[in-house]
Amino acid sequence: MKKILLGLILACPAAWAVSAPTGFTVVSASNNQVQLSWNASGPDANQYIVERRAIDSSGFAAVATIDPDSSKALAATFTDTGFDPFTAYVYRVRAANSAVSPADVSDPTGEVTVGPPPYGYTRVVPTPGHVDSPGQFGANAQIILDSSGDPMLTFLNIDPNSDRNFSDTEIRFVRWDRAHSAWTKPVLVAVSDIDSSYSYNYSYRLAADAATGALAIVYIDNSDLSTNLISIADSTDNGITWRRRKVVSGTHSYFVPAIALGNGQVYLTFSENVAGVRYVTGKLSDSPTSWSIETVPNLGMADYGIGSDIALDSDGKPAVAYLLSGADYRAVFYRPGTAPSVANISTAAPGEDWQIRLAFSGTNPRIAFSGRLDSHYSEDYDHLLFLIASSDSGTTWNPRANIKSDGGSFISGPLDLAFDSNGAAALTSREGGGNAPGELCGYPKLSLSSDLQTWNTCGITSTIHSRESSSGVRFAANGTLYLTISIGQYPLDPTDPSELAAGLYFWRGPVGFQFPAAP
């Protein structure tokens, strides 16, 4: 009899055993909340315990205990709001029967990871095996940040089938999915022979509307060989689907489009052969046929440079930067509806492969320029990049500052320019060769400055030496750097750990990033 009783007593814990929840998933995630859900456990569960750990930590801790509500319903959901948006976390859930003592707790569910991209290099998209040109895949990669501060990228896949017919060149879009801690599958935005004109024809640009979440890409559209086109593709579902519309068409060639979005409004610039630099604006939701168009002021100069840029200041007001030529060469800053100001005058021709980029630190504009701005251009490699800055919203301009290269390397466009909350600047450029023995750093080339006068140019690591091209940079809200990087057909030597496999990469720097010591 005692043996039977003992057997019953020993069997009791098994009767109390609680099964683990199933179907644990992330419903959604942003920089301020993570919504989790799971399937309910069996009838013995009267409590759920949500556990979390930072991705670089080994120990889980309970972040929530979910009890039945007043109607005795036990929710199988939880929304976490108490976390660092710049840290990735691993979540899991246990079911419990708290009516027994000690409480019976189930095994944990499977784990899910939520958060921003990891530090260091991440290969976003591998280069397809058939690609035979280093600049063919991932070209002109660009970066913007979504409402959670996570990266969204666009890139070109030039002549995907390598038949030397560029009419099938693709614009593709990919973004970081915080809810699944992974990059999304690249989405095809548009197909066109968009990169077969001039070498300085940076033929598409990406923008996001911080107020509405809309995305848009403006691009040179050569899909209709009977006419020249500027087209726009826009998305309202985080880049899953895209709508394509014609902006302008005509017999003149178009060059170097740029775009900005804000509060439902679209702002465009592009160069039109003969006509000059054009400024276009209207509601993104309206037909482009209703958008207004004007030619920016020429200040009595003979010609417009091919290329311009547009950006919004912290108040959401647009401005355009462009080049005029005549007896001299002038970089001009123009807020539509007001008088333009001359940011720089140079007696040196800008060269054939110059580029101009506009960005704001608050309401103060900064213009980055790749090309000739002084007579020292041919003397060394330290007179290729310049920054022109204003401290009074563009009324007056400081003398241009030279951005020195890394040793004897040739650095030029495509450019990108970004500022942190303290006004410090980061500029990316393309390394194009030069006096290799004079170089001190690796790749890709990044230029940093805290005062916009003194610049340091170096590589972002001392261990990776693949010759990379970086054409996109942003500061996250906590000051970390985000870069887009395109790497050609590497590794040249699969046994060399300093080389990376070919593809489109993203790089996240640490807080307070400092250049590594030169090897």
Side-chain angles (χ1 to χ4, degrees), residues 12-32:
C12 285
W16 296 339
V18 179
S19 59
T22 60
F24 183 44
T25 189
V26 183
V27 177
S28 65
S30 69
N31 60 342
N32 53 38

Side-chain angles (χ1 to χ4, degrees), residues 361-376:
S361 178
T363 61
N364 291 323
R366 285 80 171 89
I367 296 173
F369 191 91
S370 169
R372 302 185 184 114
L373 284 184
D374 61 32
S375 59
H376 302 287

Side-chain angles (χ1 to χ4, degrees), residues 400-459:
R400 61 183 178 255
N402 179 225
I403 302 173
K404 291 185 176 294
S405 69
D406 169 24
S409 62
F410 181 98
I411 50 177
S412 62
L415 306 175
D416 200 15
L417 181 64
F419 298 90
D420 69 9
S421 58
N422 297 316
L427 183 146
T428 54
S429 56
R430 179 180 61 86
E431 199 278 340
N435 181 19
E439 290 187 57
L440 300 176
C441 304
Y443 307 100
K445 301 305 182 187
L446 174 68
S447 301
L448 299 176
S449 177
S450 59
D451 60 7
L452 307 186
Q453 293 296 314
T454 303
W455 291 79
N456 186 15
T457 298
C458 197

Side-chain angles (χ1 to χ4, degrees), residues 141-336:
Q142 298 177 24
I143 180 173
I144 57 175
L145 304 182
D146 66 14
S147 58
S148 289
D150 292 327
M152 300 183 287
L153 314 180
T154 50
F155 63 95
L156 296 180
N157 186 11
I158 301 172
D159 185 21
N161 60 6
S162 301
D163 65 355
R164 302 301 176 184
N165 180 348
F166 295 91
S167 62
D168 56 352
T169 294
E170 302 170 339
I171 303 175
R172 290 194 171 267
F173 171 87
V174 62
R175 67 179 180 86
W176 179 257
D177 181 358
R178 176 177 284 256
H180 298 92
S181 193
W183 293 97
T184 61
K185 183 179 179 180
V187 174
L188 178 63
V189 176
V191 176
S192 176
D193 185 2
I194 63 172
D195 209 57
S196 61
S197 49
Y198 295 98
S199 60
Y200 46 79
N201 182 18
Y202 303 109
S203 49
Y204 82 107
R205 289 284 292 279
L206 168 69
D209 191 326
T212 68
L215 306 174
I217 295 173
V218 63
Y219 60 101
I220 302 292
D221 185 353
N222 293 321
S223 58
D224 183 352
L225 298 180
S226 64
T227 186
N228 297 309
L229 298 170
I230 291 281
S231 291
I232 186 171
D234 62 282
S235 173
T236 57
D237 57 9
N238 287 318
I240 297 173
T241 60
W242 294 81
R243 171 181 60 170
R244 289 170 289 276
R245 295 176 290 170
K246 178 184 72 176
V247 177
V248 294
S249 62
T251 57
H252 297 155
S253 297
Y254 301 118
F255 309 97
V256 198
I259 188 171
L261 300 176
N263 294 309
Q265 197 82 359
V266 59
Y267 306 92
L268 300 172
T269 60
F270 57 87
S271 293
E272 180 177 356
N273 194 26
V274 180
V277 174
R278 310 281 264 167
Y279 167 69
V280 181
T281 187
K283 289 185 178 180
L284 185 62
S285 59
D286 291 347
S287 169
T289 58
S290 68
W291 298 350
S292 66
I293 184 168
E294 67 170 279
T295 303
V296 300
N298 69 357
L299 303 181
M301 301 286 282
D303 295 300
Y304 291 88
I306 295 178
S308 58
D309 199 14
I310 192 164
L312 305 183
D313 67 15
S314 57
D315 293 333
K317 297 178 179 178
V320 182
Y322 56 100
L323 195 71
L324 294 173
S325 63
D328 51 37
Y329 303 90
R330 304 187 180 196
V332 180
F333 174 78
Y334 173 55
R335 291 184 184 271

